[in-house]
Amino acid sequence: QVQLAESGGGSVQAGGSLRLSCAVSGYTYSMKSGSMGWFRQAPGKEGEGVAVIRNSGGNTYYADSVKDRFTISQDNNKNTLYLQMNSLIPEDTGIYYCAADRRYFHDSWLPSAVVRFEYRGQGTQVTVSS
């Protein structure tokens, strides 16, 4: 059973940066073909896939709204997943969730499919003020 725990959220002014971390436990060989990622949910809106990284090969996928501002990465042991967020804007406000899935998703499904990943954490709040 994969367990995920996010940290690093907070409040920041527009233009600032935050780094989210996700502690991963229970990662097994069965996760090798899968992916990890982040999605966010703003009040009154549906979840939005933000970024995904494949466990094998490390290919990354980003939503257009965060491309060139956010960077997803993971440590070599797959124990920690990161999301570096730069040049934050108020529209980035929301609860950010870390997620993982053992299944292979085609490139065309990423990063949007991250909202349907089989494992997710409890979320961490990010608030960006103007």
Side-chain angles (χ1 to χ4, degrees), residues 7-101:
S7 61
S11 297
V12 64
Q13 289 197 329
S17 298
L18 282 174
R19 189 193 198 198
L20 304 183
S21 298
C22 175
V24 182
S25 60
Y27 181 92
T28 66
Y29 185 80
S30 66
M31 290 290 298
K32 187 176 181 181
S33 297
S35 303
M36 298 187 197
W38 297 88
F39 70 95
R40 65 189 180 188
Q41 187 148 23
K45 294 187 177 181
E46 294 186 356
E48 177 191 13
V50 172
V52 169
I53 185 168
R54 292 197 186 277
N55 293 331
S56 180
N59 287 4
T60 57
Y61 307 83
Y62 296 93
D64 288 343
S65 58
V66 306
K67 204 169 291 183
D68 298 326
R69 298 189 298 121
F70 290 11
T71 303
I72 187 172
S73 61
Q74 61 188 169
D75 67 358
N76 290 335
N77 294 325
K78 311 292 190 287
N79 290 331
T80 309
L81 182 71
Y82 302 99
L83 185 68
Q84 177 66 43
M85 306 187 294
N86 299 329
S87 302
L88 285 161
I89 58 178
E91 289 76 12
D92 294 321
T93 294
I95 300 175
Y96 282 69
Y97 297 89
C98 172
D101 202 297

Side-chain angles (χ1 to χ4, degrees), residues 95-108:
I95 300 175
Y96 282 69
Y97 297 89
C98 172
D101 202 297
R102 294 168 293 178
R103 297 169 291 180
Y104 175 85
F105 286 82
H106 190 272
D107 289 357
S108 61

